Amino acid sequence: MATDTSPGSRVVVVGAGPVGLFLAGELRLGGADVVVLERLRTPTTESRASTLHARTAELFDCRGLLDALGDPPREPRGHFGGVPMDLTVPGPYAGQWKVPQTRTEELLQDWARALGADVRRGWEVTGLVQSDAHVELTVAAPDGERRLRAAYVVACDGEDSTVRALTGAAFPGSPAGRELLRADIAGIDIPNRRFERREHGLAIAAKMPGGTTRVMVHAFGRPARPRTGPPAFTEVVDVWRHVTGEDLGAGRPVWLNAFGDANQQLEQYRHGRVLFAGDAAHRQMPSGGQALNLGLQDAANLGWKLAAVARGRAPEALLDTYHDERHAVGRRVLANIRAQAQLLLGGPEVEPASALLAELIEAGPTRDHLAAMITGLDIRYPVGGGTHPLLGARLPLGTLPTPDGPVGVAEALRDGRGLLLVADSARAELRWLGKIWADRVTPVAVRAGADAPLHGAEGLLVRPDGHVAWAGADPWAATAAIRHWFGRPDPGL
């Protein structure tokens, strides 16, 4: 059995779903060698998740990925636990983008490969051993068993993660107690239904492009079934008839699926040289598309940090900030999904709570709070360093007025580097920092008198994921922040 030794900066990503492929591209932007291992020989044709939220759209814009999506449908309205609500939020990408997961995966695979990621299909991880210096994977490859060595491994292999099982990582929480049956069916003609609560259960139906109809159904009081595969079509037909009185039996099932209200999260997102992202790190009901977006935003947070550490540009302690930041975000998302599951799958006893929530949403402030939470635009990381209104939050995707003309924030972040935005009237010591770290941070002079983008600060340090890591005027504080997030400067500069 051959052992494939690696360059010191190699990162192996396990799983070529949207999260693993987005992470692979982010790692390549940071200069790491990347191999993606996927057990499936060909991309899946199943389109489980079809919603991209505003923050994810912003991240895709910051990597130049939106044009390739064309002009997908955008829905201004979403829901919280089945209660309709407007998802319009400040920013260029309000609402929900409806993009089939198959298209998202295709886009991200093309991008990652164009950046140099090595995507290997038909490679299934069967063993894992890590030491202080590397991780060694045993893999069932198309040409036989192989060993693959890497500096770091990231598990993006889904809610039934093989890597998680091999590491024995603690995964506390609640297993699924209730479930929704889901099916894409051709040859049926039934009314569209949006979270229709009937006497015996919940029914959802939506006509899709191509002539199929997606249905989802839950019978109140019906527990989740132990499953090793998708439900039978007859099961979907029987439960749908019980809830709605309609017969789907004459239709042709295109895709069948069941998902439950499991709510679990790893205690630690980092286990030495093995890290976890997406559903491998947290299992939740995919309510309103939050699961996919949570995972993609995990990748955006981790990619630039892991690339810097793998290349020796930053200390390993930087990886601990991935757990600190994303575990807290994941915990909050799982809490809101757990609340939604109670409203969606509960019987008549939840009707008063749903009615009250509908009133609160109409009142305004509650809607604003929930919309920002669902879309990911309210995320603020605990970066420390002051009370500036943007500190820890994402920098809005506006235009920066520079002496050479306007520069878009998204365009400035395209290469996956950090930004040091400095007012051109600031002290020379602050402007000089951009030259010292020029190999990993792009300096941008912001025209004097146009202080809105800096919100009163003389300088902002923006991480590659778009979040503000420092704001102020003190060059010493700025130096400490740059060193913390981007490591020591190259002595040759």
Side-chain angles (χ1 to χ4, degrees), residues 246-267:
E246 297 170 349
D247 186 8
L248 304 177
R252 178 175 60 85
V254 177
W255 176 57
L256 297 162
N257 174 248
F259 60 90
D261 60 348
N263 203 274
Q264 296 171 273
Q265 186 180 26
L266 282 175
E267 290 182 349

Side-chain angles (χ1 to χ4, degrees), residues 113-130:
R113 279 181 162 161
L115 290 170
D118 179 2
V119 181
R120 304 181 186 180
R121 292 191 171 272
W123 288 56
E124 183 174 4
V125 173
T126 59
L128 181 151
V129 178
Q130 68 169 309

Side-chain angles (χ1 to χ4, degrees), residues 99-121:
V99 182
Q101 183 171 321
T102 50
R103 177 62 189 126
T104 301
E105 286 188 12
E106 179 185 39
L107 169 70
L108 294 175
Q109 178 171 272
D110 290 346
W111 177 64
R113 279 181 162 161
L115 290 170
D118 179 2
V119 181
R120 304 181 186 180
R121 292 191 171 272

Side-chain angles (χ1 to χ4, degrees), residues 273-292:
R273 292 180 173 270
V274 180
L275 299 104
F276 296 83
D279 288 350
H282 37 76
R283 176 186 290 166
Q284 60 285 305
M285 192 169 77
S287 182
Q290 288 188 88
L292 172 61

Side-chain angles (χ1 to χ4, degrees), residues 316-381:
E316 282 207 9
L318 183 61
L319 297 180
D320 294 330
T321 70
Y322 167 65
H323 166 82
D324 294 341
E325 293 178 349
R326 293 306 298 173
H327 191 275
V329 171
R331 183 170 62 247
R332 185 168 183 248
V333 171
L334 264 64
N336 94 53
I337 289 177
R338 189 163 59 246
Q340 292 193 62
Q342 296 294 335
L343 294 172
L344 278 170
L345 306 181
E349 72 278 2
V350 306
E351 297 294 346
S354 292
L356 176 60
L357 179 61
E359 292 182 18
L360 292 173
I361 286 174
E362 288 298 319
T366 299
R367 186 219 72 89
D368 297 344
H369 177 81
L370 292 177
M373 178 176 63
I374 290 171
T375 59
L377 293 184
D378 70 344
I379 294 171
R380 184 183 295 271
Y381 295 132

Side-chain angles (χ1 to χ4, degrees), residues 359-420:
E359 292 182 18
L360 292 173
I361 286 174
E362 288 298 319
T366 299
R367 186 219 72 89
D368 297 344
H369 177 81
L370 292 177
M373 178 176 63
I374 290 171
T375 59
L377 293 184
D378 70 344
I379 294 171
R380 184 183 295 271
Y381 295 132
V383 298
T387 59
H388 189 275
L390 286 179
L391 197 62
R394 105 271 189 225
L395 183 67
L397 295 190
T399 300
L400 303 170
T402 77
D404 298 322
V407 174
V409 171
E411 289 77 9
L413 288 166
R414 289 279 157 82
D415 58 6
R417 293 155 53 88
L419 302 177
L420 182 62

